[in-house]
Amino acid sequence: MKRRIKLGVLVSGSGSNLQAIIDNIEKGLLDGEIKVIISNNADAYALERAKKHDIPCVIIKHSDFKSREDFDLKMIDVLNSLCVDLVVMAGFMRVLTPLFLNAFPMKIMNIHPAILPAFPGIHAQKRAADYGVRFSGCTVHFADEGVDSGPIIIQAIVPAYDDDTEDILAARILKEEHRIYPQAIQFYAEGRIEVVGRKVRIRGSERIPETPLHNPPLTAF
Ligand code: GAR
């Protein structure tokens, strides 16, 4: 029987990425089991989603703690008590301290709605749309001490158009987030991820064709 990795999912908001993970586990496509969902926000809609699927939730409000370290220590306790293999940040809007990062070295994934290293931090989709990029997308990466800066596991590209609003672009990106996050976790579950410095190698993964994309399309060249 395949081993199912034990996941601890950190959320702050809507939890649509959490939902994609739950759905893929339930479909049998993702060999994982969510041991706990931790939210720093008691009103997060992600908690409603968790309830519907009978997944244990713990609310840990950052405002109840004197320091970031104390908050992170509480999360570490919960995750370690459940022997979590991988921590999955799914719209978790807190920066982790070195204490937390050292407790789970290369065992924390994050998703970000941009082609990193472009547009790290908050409001990535709005900043990309305002900047007038022709392509955007999303990135799953391991967390490190920077903001959205750790080794990149998988990226998806979507076109951006000059009449895109922030919401339209964000929705286009989110659809791909819901595909690449379960995939990145499944690579991890299969033991296929190797990290050397900044570079991540996915053992046995196909090489994509060398096909450039142009937006707008080239007319003659
Ligand atoms: C997602 O777009 C995710 O990429 C982003 O927050 C949203 C959460 O949505 N995360 C970040 O910007 C982290 N830097 P969700 O709660 O519906 O999954």
Side-chain angles (χ1 to χ4, degrees):
M1 201 176 112
K2 264 194 212 159
R3 193 175 90 89
R4 285 148 63 89
I5 54 163
K6 296 182 196 130
L7 305 173
V9 184
L10 313 186
V11 298
S12 299
S14 145
S16 71
N17 277 290
L18 166 69
Q19 189 69 55
I21 294 164
I22 295 172
D23 292 346
N24 281 292
I25 290 174
E26 290 185 353
K27 282 185 210 154
L29 297 173
L30 179 46
D31 302 322
E33 177 191 359
I34 302 179
K35 299 296 286 181
V36 67
I37 293 167
I38 298 179
S39 178
N40 65 319
N41 168 15
D43 301 323
Y45 183 66
L47 296 170
E48 299 296 317
R49 297 179 191 270
K51 264 186 226 149
K52 279 188 196 142
H53 294 267
D54 282 328
I55 303 171
C57 295
V58 179
I59 297 164
I60 306 177
K61 287 192 205 158
H62 54 273
S63 49
D64 288 347
F65 294 84
K66 271 201 289 257
S67 66
R68 282 183 182 275
E69 282 74 15
D70 287 348
F71 170 68
D72 280 7
L73 265 179
K74 179 67 194 166
M75 292 201 295
I76 294 170
D77 276 353
V78 171
L79 295 162
N80 276 342
S81 71
L82 296 164
C83 301
V84 159
D85 300 306
L86 181 69
V87 179
V88 175
M89 298 167 76
F92 183 67
M93 295 307 190
R94 301 286 304 168
V95 175
L96 299 169
T97 64
L99 199 75
F100 192 95
L101 294 161
N102 293 332
F104 302 100
M106 288 302 153
K107 288 182 181 174
I108 307 165
M109 282 187 192
N110 182 41
I111 188 153
H112 184 71
I115 298 297
L116 291 171
F119 307 109
I122 57 169
H123 307 309
Q125 304 97 324
K126 177 173 174 16
R127 287 186 289 129
D130 290 351
Y131 197 90
V133 296
R134 296 290 190 174
F135 291 99
S136 189
C138 43
T139 304
V140 178
H141 63 94
F142 285 110
D144 70 2
E145 294 188 19
V147 175
D148 301 317
S149 60
I152 291 172
I153 301 163
I154 182 168
Q155 293 186 305
I157 304 279
V158 300
Y161 304 107
D162 52 19
D163 56 358
D164 274 348
T165 61
E166 173 191 358
D167 288 349
I168 288 173
L169 180 60
R172 197 177 300 127
I173 294 170
L174 194 61
K175 252 175 129 173
E176 294 309 309
E177 292 187 40
H178 297 163
R179 302 175 71 196
I180 66 169
Y181 218 176
Q183 177 67 77
I185 298 166
Q186 181 60 17
F187 283 147
Y188 192 92
E190 291 170 357
R192 292 170 60 188
I193 299 187
E194 194 182 319
V195 186
V196 182
R198 270 217 59 87
K199 296 225 183 164
V200 175
R201 194 167 78 91
I202 311 292
R203 282 188 219 97
S205 126
E206 260 179 60
R207 202 177 173 88
I208 65 160
E210 278 187 43
T211 314
L213 298 171
H214 309 95
N215 182 21
L218 306 188
T219 57
F221 307 96

